Amino acid sequence: MRGPFSGPTVAEALARPHNGFSALRLALALMVVVSHAFSVVSGHGADEPLARSTGFSLGEHAVNGFFAVSGFLVTMSYDRRGWRDYAIARSLRILPGLVAATLAVSLLLGGALTRLPLAEYLASPELWRFVRGTLLSFKSNASLPGVFEANPLRSPLGTVWTLKYETICYVGVLVIGLCGLLRRRWAVPALTAALALTLAGLEAVRPEMSKGTETALRLPLIFAFGACLYLWRDHVRLAAWPLLGLVAALLLQGHAPARTLLFLSESYAAIWLAFLPALARPVLDPPADLSYGVYLYGWPIQQSLHALFPAASAVALLPPALGLAGLVAALSWYTIEKPALRLKARALGRRTLGTIEPAAP
């Protein structure tokens, strides 16, 4: 019987008939909605309770988990499919849901909530700049004309910014794969080490570095570490003891390189959780993958609820926000995302794809 200091290899866990990736992604998406309940109402992310105790909000920790899972599964997707199938699969998994969310929020939600006459709203250049900016550059701080003007934050799609980093990482896997470096065991670990050392070094010499600089290193680092766990799946073991890094990182807050240790520990923890036998059960594998929809629509739903009920507290608005996000995510899954997956299967010349499909954070 294995104890906390030993466990199956990642390859052995991957060979099991079930895993917890779907349930984990949904849990991470719901964590983002919970986290945003506070910033939507106050306008300050630091008001979220976990941000005060760990330096990062619950939503930021959830995004870390998303990127670790994505690095693992997307690298597996390339490894199993090759570059043509990989490019088709990634495009048809991300773009249809994003396009639908952008149009639904800008035209339907915005048209219903704007203070402008509908004709004036639809003719506004600001509306179409929002659509272009969201779809072409994943801008998440743009606003819609006459919408959420009294809210502390005006952006109607505040979570799409992570898709920029996700896309960069997807392209990175494609380039590294085309160069044949995914089959060289040292290449991705070397990249991961370089990112980790750079971030740790900046943390040591510039502890006041901007959030943007840290994010630009943090998310690719976590994605790359997730990729390493897949590429070294025959050697990496899933055990509880590496999670001590999480405890150490929290105890060493303010000391270099605590944040880098935190990010790497969270990455390992996400993959460890996905293969935890307690979560790897068919009953916990939902028939609909709602994680992407919850992630995309949670923010505009919360913004709308706050605009309609400005006196309500973050805690009071959270239950209806979670319920509505789940309903809209189900609608997105069955009308947009699942049909896109069927189209993807036909494009790849098979009925089923044979690999777990990650949705972007």
Side-chain angles (χ1 to χ4, degrees):
M1 183 175 179
R2 290 186 174 113
F5 297 99
S6 65
T9 65
V10 172
E12 290 170 343
L14 196 57
R16 295 169 181 164
H18 302 286
N19 57 65
F21 279 107
S22 295
L24 177 61
R25 288 202 306 266
L26 180 57
L28 293 172
L30 292 172
M31 286 165 58
V32 171
V33 177
V34 171
S35 178
H36 287 160
F38 299 90
S39 55
V40 163
V41 170
S42 71
H44 303 288
D47 290 341
E48 197 253 40
L50 198 60
R52 292 194 291 268
S53 59
T54 69
F56 294 92
S57 70
L58 180 66
E60 288 174 310
H61 289 296
V63 167
N64 290 349
F66 264 127
F67 269 78
V69 168
S70 185
F72 184 95
L73 296 180
V74 168
T75 304
M76 180 173 70
S77 175
Y78 186 98
D79 184 52
R80 293 185 175 183
R81 291 186 174 135
W83 74 269
R84 290 183 182 86
D85 284 6
Y86 170 85
I88 294 172
R90 299 278 48 81
S91 299
L92 289 178
R93 183 65 186 100
I94 299 304
L95 291 179
L98 174 63
V99 172
T102 301
L103 295 178
V105 168
S106 60
L107 299 180
L108 300 180
L109 183 65
L113 295 181
T114 182
R115 61 169 179 77
L116 303 177
L118 184 57
E120 183 180 342
Y121 175 78
L122 293 176
S124 170
E126 189 179 353
L127 165 64
W128 301 107
R129 280 197 300 270
F130 171 85
V131 173
R132 288 195 301 271
T134 302
L135 294 179
L136 298 179
S137 59
F138 308 112
K139 289 184 67 175
S140 61
N141 59 352
S143 58
L144 289 169
V147 179
F148 302 143
E149 288 182 326
N151 283 14
L153 302 170
R154 287 195 58 196
S155 58
L157 274 172
T159 58
V160 297
W161 65 271
T162 62
L163 298 182
K164 174 179 66 176
Y165 292 101
E166 186 82 6
T167 301
I168 291 171
C169 291
Y170 288 175
V171 173
V173 171
L174 180 62
V175 171
I176 291 172
L178 287 173
C179 293
L181 295 178
L182 282 183
R183 300 194 180 280
R184 300 193 177 186
R185 292 289 181 84
W186 56 267
V188 176
L191 173 62
T192 305
L195 289 168
L197 290 172
T198 301
L199 182 56
L202 285 175
E203 186 180 349
V205 301
R206 289 180 53 197
E208 75 290 350
M209 66 177 160
S210 69
K211 198 75 167 180
T213 300
E214 182 181 68
T215 299
L217 291 168
R218 167 173 64 102
L219 297 183
L221 166 63
I222 293 170
F223 186 98
F225 190 69
C228 285
L229 293 178
Y230 171 75
L231 294 172
W232 284 78
R233 60 194 179 277
D234 292 322
H235 305 280
V236 174
R237 291 196 172 272
L238 296 166
W241 67 267
L243 304 183
L244 294 174
L246 281 173
V247 178
L250 295 175
L251 293 176
L252 293 172
Q253 283 187 77
H255 298 80
R259 283 178 289 187
T260 303
L261 176 61
L262 175 66
F263 303 148
L264 293 175
S265 299
E266 284 186 324
S267 303
Y268 181 89
I271 305 305
W272 178 78
L273 280 172
F275 288 117
L276 199 65
L279 298 180
R281 299 178 179 181
V283 70
L284 296 178
D285 190 9
D289 184 357
L290 304 185
S291 58
Y292 191 29
V294 168
Y295 184 81
L296 285 177
Y297 290 102
W299 179 275
I301 287 171
Q302 290 175 294
Q303 284 279 68
S304 301
L305 288 173
H306 182 60
L308 295 171
F309 307 100
S313 68
V315 175
L317 291 179
L318 183 56
L322 289 170
L324 288 170
L327 289 174
V328 177
L331 181 64
S332 172
W333 170 256
Y334 286 110
T335 63
I336 305 296
E337 298 170 60
K338 189 175 181 180
L341 289 178
R342 287 198 295 263
L343 176 62
K344 177 168 61 177
R346 289 197 296 271
L348 301 184
R350 58 184 74 94
R351 287 188 179 182
T352 58
L353 297 176
T355 59
I356 306 161
E357 280 304 303

